[in-house]
Amino acid sequence: VGEAPGYHEDKQGRPFVGPAGAVLDAALGRAGLDRRALYVTNAVKHFSFRERGQARLHKSPTRTIVEHCRWWVRREIELIRPDAVVALGRTAGAALGCTPTWHPAYVLRQPDAAARERAMVELVAALAAAR
């Protein structure tokens, strides 16, 4: 479970298809998981953004929005009945009432290659534990 759709996800109507999705796919592969066998969703279902010129820049959802969407993601979990649920980032953790692992976008925001790899290793470890 991720935070919310970003620009690419909003355009394609699917979760994790942008740059963070590429990181997630790499992490899943390193953890020995096949994304096609998983259910991937977001805690918030709409793209919150602020406009800067013609660009639409991601804006983190407010606590109120997360609370309003909580029923939806919990209902998805009830219907899917997964063996494990992984909260990717603080927003997903708050929506699910659990401790999250890194969101793939966090990996992308690290200042250098060594920091990105450390964050990736921690993300992969959490995914592998869920496997």
Side-chain angles (χ1 to χ4, degrees), residues 5-74:
Y7 175 80
H8 299 283
E9 291 76 14
D10 185 49
K11 291 292 184 192
Q12 294 186 39
R14 295 188 351 246
F16 288 100
V17 294
V23 173
L24 178 61
D25 289 342
L28 290 169
R30 286 171 59 171
L33 293 163
D34 180 354
R35 181 172 174 164
R36 295 171 298 185
L38 306 174
Y39 184 78
V40 180
T41 191
N42 286 307
V44 172
K45 304 305 182 188
H46 66 279
F47 177 39
S48 295
F49 62 91
R50 57 189 164 89
E51 293 184 27
R52 181 178 292 163
Q54 292 193 352
R56 297 185 317 156
L57 304 177
H58 171 80
K59 185 171 87 173
S60 292
T62 65
R63 171 185 265 168
T64 301
I65 291 171
V66 172
E67 289 172 6
H68 283 300
C69 292
R70 181 177 288 134
W71 71 269
W72 193 336
V73 72
R74 288 187 175 169

